[in-house]
Amino acid sequence: MADKAKGKMEQAKGKAKEVAGKATGNERMQAEGRTDQIKGKAREGAAKAQEHARGIKDSLRERREP
C-alpha cells in the first residue's frame, strides 16, 4: 500500500513540475515532470501487481489447508 501511495504522490509531483515548466517555458522541468509521472505510474503498477500476486498466493494457500 505504501508503494502505491508513493506512486500517486510521484505522479502528482511530476504533473506539478510539468505545469510549472510549461508556465515558465522551462523544457527541462517539463521533461523531468513527465519522467516523474512515468516513474510514479510504474511504481503504482508494480505495487498493484504485488498486491495481486499476494492475493493469489493467499487464495492458493486457503485451498490447500483442510
Side-chain angles (χ1 to χ4, degrees):
M1 186 68 151
D3 280 342
K4 207 171 180 182
K6 284 181 185 178
K8 287 279 187 193
M9 288 299 294
E10 198 163 16
Q11 288 178 56
K13 180 182 85 170
K15 187 64 177 175
K17 218 184 237 190
E18 184 181 6
V19 169
K22 282 181 183 177
T24 60
N26 187 333
E27 291 180 15
R28 181 177 176 188
M29 188 181 285
Q30 287 180 46
E32 286 177 6
R34 286 190 296 270
T35 300
D36 288 346
Q37 290 178 64
I38 292 168
K39 286 180 185 177
K41 286 178 184 179
R43 184 187 300 258
E44 186 181 2
K48 284 180 181 180
Q50 197 171 35
E51 286 176 9
H52 185 70
R54 196 173 304 123
I56 291 171
K57 180 181 167 186
D58 291 344
S59 68
L60 291 174
R61 183 179 297 136
E62 289 172 5
R63 289 182 184 191
R64 286 189 195 167
E65 294 177 357

